[in-house]
Amino acid sequence: MSETIKTKRLEGTHLIVETSEGTTKYDSRFLVAALLIFIARGSGTIEPEESAKMIDLIEEHFQMEGAESLELLTRAMSEMADNPELGQALVDLKPTLSDEDKEDIAVMALKVIAADGRRQVSEMEKFNEAFQALGISAEALHRAFDRYFSETMPGS
């Protein structure tokens, strides 16, 4: 069932979204999960390696248990499918993210893109779309690429 957003508002670090189904609270953890899914789906499907990488990255970044990380990703997939407007609404959480947070998320997204061993143009297009919407600075994006390459290059 597709839900329509009636109202949305930012309360501190949470986005409160009201639909015909009720009111739901979202935070930056949900935003990160939804963003990684959005980018991984850029190629049409989420490969098993990408799923595993997303679980690991969220687990590590937010100090969550593996099951919690999987649950967060599953919830994000489900709610994004039920409410196509939610992705755009989540952009309202961008003021709750520092430049450092955005840089960390960009590094995570690059690792998800590379997880299946194929660089898909469509995934990079989704990456650019997502980070434009989040308002990441050119400097933070440049640092994210530098970090990604320094962390993933052989011999580093």
Side-chain angles (χ1 to χ4, degrees):
M1 167 193 235
S2 184
E3 300 177 29
T4 301
I5 294 176
K6 291 181 177 181
T7 63
K8 59 184 175 136
R9 67 188 180 282
L10 196 59
E11 286 185 3
T13 60
H14 292 90
L15 178 67
I16 312 300
V17 175
E18 182 186 348
T19 67
S20 56
E21 300 296 312
T23 302
T24 308
K25 186 187 290 191
Y26 299 99
D27 61 12
S28 61
R29 295 183 327 165
F30 186 91
L31 171 64
V32 170
L35 183 89
L36 295 178
I37 290 165
F38 173 76
I39 291 167
R41 274 197 180 141
S43 63
T45 60
I46 299 175
E47 299 300 326
E49 301 89 350
E50 292 169 328
S51 295
K53 181 57 80 175
M54 286 188 287
I55 291 167
D56 291 346
L57 290 167
I58 288 175
E59 182 179 346
E60 180 184 325
H61 186 75
F62 294 113
Q63 274 81 60
M64 300 172 83
E65 295 296 321
E68 275 184 294
S69 179
L70 177 59
E71 184 179 325
L72 177 61
L73 285 162
T74 303
R75 177 178 165 231
M77 274 190 229
S78 174
E79 291 191 28
M80 298 293 285
D82 289 346
N83 189 347
E85 298 175 1
L86 184 56
Q88 188 57 43
L90 289 171
V91 172
D92 289 358
L93 281 167
K94 74 181 178 184
T96 69
L97 301 172
S98 67
D99 279 347
E100 184 178 307
D101 292 333
K102 292 175 188 177
E103 181 183 324
D104 289 344
I105 298 165
V107 172
M108 292 168 50
L110 290 169
K111 289 178 179 180
V112 169
I113 290 168
D116 63 0
R118 295 184 300 270
R119 287 176 286 191
Q120 303 278 339
V121 170
S122 55
E123 289 175 338
M124 286 307 297
E125 287 171 347
K126 293 294 184 184
F127 175 90
N128 289 331
E129 184 181 331
F131 285 98
Q132 256 185 340
L134 285 181
I136 191 170
S137 69
E139 296 80 17
L141 197 55
H142 182 76
R143 285 190 307 271
F145 274 95
D146 285 349
R147 279 180 48 200
Y148 168 76
F149 287 117
S150 72
E151 291 175 18
T152 60
M153 294 300 288
S156 25

